[in-house]
Amino acid sequence: MSLQGRITAGYRTDLMLVLLGTWFSIGLFLDAWAHANVPELETFFTPWHAVFYSGFAATAAWISWVVWRNVQRGHSWRDAVPAGYGPAVLALPLFALSGVGDYLWHTFLGIERGLDILYSPTHLGLITSMIIILNTPLRTAWVKLGDRPSPREFLPAALSLAFTTSLVLLFAGFADATVWTSADVVRAFSFPKGNETLFTLTLAASVAVTNIVLIVPLLVIARRFRPPLGLATLVYTVCMLLSTAIAGYANISTAIGFVLAGVVADVLLWWLKPSGDAPGRLRLFAALSSFATWAIYFAVAGITAGGMPSVTEMWTGAPVLAALHGLLLAALLVPTRAR
């Protein structure tokens, strides 16, 4: 007899998926590090690709087994896919096809080494399908959890959010402020007034883009849930662990500053309790958290490099501009209190 009705995945199912996703994600960042730091990289068959694609194979096998197990229990094929898992089931073949395309691309067109890594069509197919797969525990939590999940209940979703944020930041690498060293931050904002360089403009753009990538996930979660304490620190820490690997561990002081900023964001989440029903507090959180993140960023750069950038307007104005961007995003996400 066939059972009817859509099911939801259990806690252990989601936790196993996110643990396998950790393997999967580490493989991607190892591969990205190799593209950026290994000059003799000339073949598709590398140890880093082995970690990456074996992580995908394990993740795909787990999702397939979850669906097959539910079919064996009497559910129809449609109902055997747990709520939130449907996009991942569709993304698995997309990833596999992109992987085959990546092999052919590397074989016939060569290995990407710079900005072209982020624009390669096969890489974009891989990262898009990977984000959809890794986001599965967050979709599950969205469906089945209440408004105030415990840290344990929310752990798979939090890790899912942290890894997907890291992947988005990775593919915004041309404007990623987390990989900058303190010395380069000070040098970029030290220039004769009226003669700013491309280096200056790159850091200014990177601050704006990185701020958006980091603050939007927290705002979306705060709109739906009362975030468990530690969420922001976890997201920032995972992003920094992976960004330091990409930067060859030259940006350790910057990474420490972001982890500290995550702690401050968590304190603000606990204190302000932003939510979709309290748009004023959501906007205040967005502005204060963004301001604190970049104030810490420039303070750490100045302390580590032995002096602040020479153009005071740049390092004092950048956190304020980031706060305004955060405020605007919060206003767009929740225009008014729900009636």
Side-chain angles (χ1 to χ4, degrees):
M1 182 179 67
S2 176
L3 299 177
Q4 294 184 343
R6 195 71 178 273
I7 61 174
T8 56
Y11 179 80
R12 291 182 179 178
T13 300
D14 284 341
L15 187 60
M16 178 59 75
L17 177 55
V18 83
L19 290 176
L20 294 172
T22 303
W23 173 3
F24 193 10
S25 300
I26 290 174
L28 175 64
F29 279 86
L30 284 173
D31 186 45
W33 172 86
H35 275 278
N37 296 285
V38 180
E40 65 273 18
L41 192 67
E42 297 292 348
T43 175
F44 181 85
F45 297 99
T46 66
W48 307 284
H49 270 178
V51 177
F52 179 43
Y53 284 104
S54 62
F56 164 70
T59 305
W62 176 250
I63 293 174
S64 301
W65 185 81
V66 168
V67 174
W68 174 249
R69 179 185 60 183
N70 291 333
V71 170
Q72 295 303 302
R73 289 174 175 172
H75 292 277
S76 66
W77 280 100
R78 179 179 177 277
D79 291 339
V81 179
Y85 276 62
V89 170
L90 296 175
L92 293 177
L94 173 61
F95 185 95
L97 287 173
S98 299
V100 172
D102 197 40
Y103 166 71
L104 295 174
W105 192 284
H106 287 183
T107 301
F108 295 105
L109 298 177
I111 306 294
E112 301 87 353
R113 297 193 179 281
L115 188 61
D116 50 347
I117 296 173
L118 307 179
Y119 283 80
S120 166
T122 56
H123 286 178
L124 293 174
L126 290 170
I127 195 69
T128 300
S129 51
M130 189 174 176
I131 287 174
I132 293 171
I133 294 167
L134 294 181
N135 232 2
T136 301
L138 181 59
R139 290 193 297 269
T140 302
W142 204 276
V143 171
K144 73 177 184 181
L145 294 185
D147 295 342
R148 299 187 179 192
S150 68
R152 178 185 176 278
E153 288 177 322
F154 203 70
L155 180 61
L159 289 170
S160 166
L161 183 72
F163 282 118
T164 51
T165 303
S166 301
L167 297 185
V168 172
L169 199 55
L170 173 67
F171 269 71
F174 46 83
D176 179 5
T178 68
V179 298
W180 285 62
T181 66
S182 293
D184 283 342
V185 169
V186 172
R187 188 159 62 91
F189 278 3
S190 299
F191 55 90
K193 289 191 176 181
N195 291 292
E196 63 271 11
T197 64
L198 182 60
F199 199 45
T200 303
L201 299 177
T202 301
L203 179 59
S206 297
V207 169
V209 171
T210 306
N211 184 58
I212 291 171
V213 173
L214 291 176
I215 196 66
V216 165
L218 297 180
L219 294 177
V220 170
I221 293 299
R223 190 177 63 170
R224 166 67 175 83
F225 300 102
R226 177 72 59 80
L229 194 61
L231 173 67
T233 305
L234 176 66
V235 171
Y236 280 40
T237 300
V238 170
C239 287
M240 293 313 112
L241 284 173
L242 299 174
S243 87
T244 52
I246 297 300
Y249 304 101
N251 64 335
I252 293 295
S253 59
T254 303
I256 293 172
F258 271 103
V259 174
L260 178 59
V263 174
V264 173
D266 269 319
V267 172
L268 290 170
L269 284 170
W270 169 78
W271 177 46
L272 293 171
K273 298 178 177 53
S275 72
D277 293 329
R281 294 203 298 270
L282 190 77
R283 293 168 193 172
L284 187 59
F285 164 75
L288 291 179
S289 179
S290 298
F291 178 86
T293 295
W294 298 102
I296 293 171
Y297 181 81
F298 287 104
V300 168
I303 293 170
T304 308
M308 299 304 290
S310 67
V311 183
T312 306
E313 291 88 341
M314 296 302 295
W315 61 268
T316 57
V320 176
L321 193 58
L324 292 174
H325 291 163
L327 182 63
L328 176 61
L329 289 169
L332 290 173
L333 282 170
V334 184
T336 186
R337 185 193 300 271
R339 296 181 178 177

